């Protein structure tokens, strides 16, 4: 899906990106972001990425490889933790991420992609890239104090 959109650099997130990622979230502690990026045990099987534009972090996202037991099943990745700089929504950043996933991770040719979105939302980039609703996600939230009620 070639276009004339400006291109961003997409690369694995590094500890030095913590302040830029914190800006995207709009809350949190830079040191906690840095610690989570430094500790690979925080999210086994997951790689966090940033998209940069002129050296500035404009998006962050995570990709997790999901194991498949089904014989003949294609590889499957999950796209999640997607954060875009609010002032740049609509600037083609999400589309660049999908182009990158197709080119670098063979999404759409060798691997399926599951992408998480907030309830009731279907981002326009999902529509543009032909993502269709196929699963429902449910979460088991952490209870305060670790006690189930």
């Amino acid at each position: 899906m070639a276009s004339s959109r400006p291109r961003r650099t997409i690369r694995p997130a590094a500890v030095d990106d913590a302040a830029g990622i914190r800006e995207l979230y709009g809350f949190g502690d830079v040191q906690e972001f840095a610690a989570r990026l430094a500790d690979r045990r925080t999210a086994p099987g997951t790689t966090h990425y940033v998209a940069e534009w002129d050296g500035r972090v404009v998006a962050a996202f995570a990709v997790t490889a999901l194991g498949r037991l089904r014989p003949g099943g294609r590889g499957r990745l999950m796209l999640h933790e997607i954060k875009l700089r609010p002032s740049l929504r609509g600037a083609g950043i999400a589309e660049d991420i999908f182009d990158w996933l197709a080119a670098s991770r063979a999404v759409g040719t060798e691997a399926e992609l599951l992408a998480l979105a907030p309830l009731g939302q279907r981002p326009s980039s999902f529509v543009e890239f032909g993502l269709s609703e196929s699963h429902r996600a449910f979460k088991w939230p952490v209870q305060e104090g670790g006690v189930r009620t």
Side-chain angles (χ1 to χ4, degrees):
M1 297 191 181
S3 74
S4 61
R5 290 190 303 263
R7 304 299 300 171
R8 263 70 56 172
T9 301
I10 296 175
R11 60 172 176 74
V15 173
D16 291 345
D17 296 315
I21 293 170
R22 191 262 173 235
E23 283 182 30
L24 297 176
Y25 277 81
F27 65 90
D29 181 69
V30 172
Q31 285 73 31
E32 183 177 356
F33 281 108
R36 287 174 180 258
L37 288 168
D39 185 359
R40 294 292 174 215
R41 296 171 300 167
T42 299
T46 297
T47 302
H48 293 88
Y49 294 92
V50 294
E52 287 183 316
W53 190 358
D54 293 332
R56 182 177 182 204
V57 173
V58 295
F61 62 96
V63 176
T64 300
L66 302 173
R68 299 290 306 268
L69 182 59
R70 178 181 173 204
R74 298 284 188 161
R76 185 176 278 171
L77 301 172
M78 182 171 55
L79 173 65
H80 56 105
E81 296 282 328
I82 307 162
K83 290 290 183 188
L84 303 176
R85 187 168 296 282
S87 63
L88 293 175
R89 287 198 175 121
I93 296 167
E95 290 81 359
D96 284 349
I97 292 169
F98 281 106
D99 284 341
W100 176 85
L101 286 164
S104 70
R105 302 298 296 267
V107 166
T109 56
E110 296 175 23
E112 295 178 331
L113 180 74
L114 300 177
L116 296 182
L119 287 173
Q121 292 185 23
R122 186 169 183 201
S124 61
S125 58
F126 286 19
V127 175
E128 179 182 334
F129 280 81
L131 277 73
S132 60
E133 191 170 343
S134 67
H135 294 74
R136 288 193 137 183
F138 298 88
K139 73 176 179 179
W140 185 341
V142 174
Q143 302 296 317
E144 290 299 318
V147 178
R148 263 185 11 182
T149 55

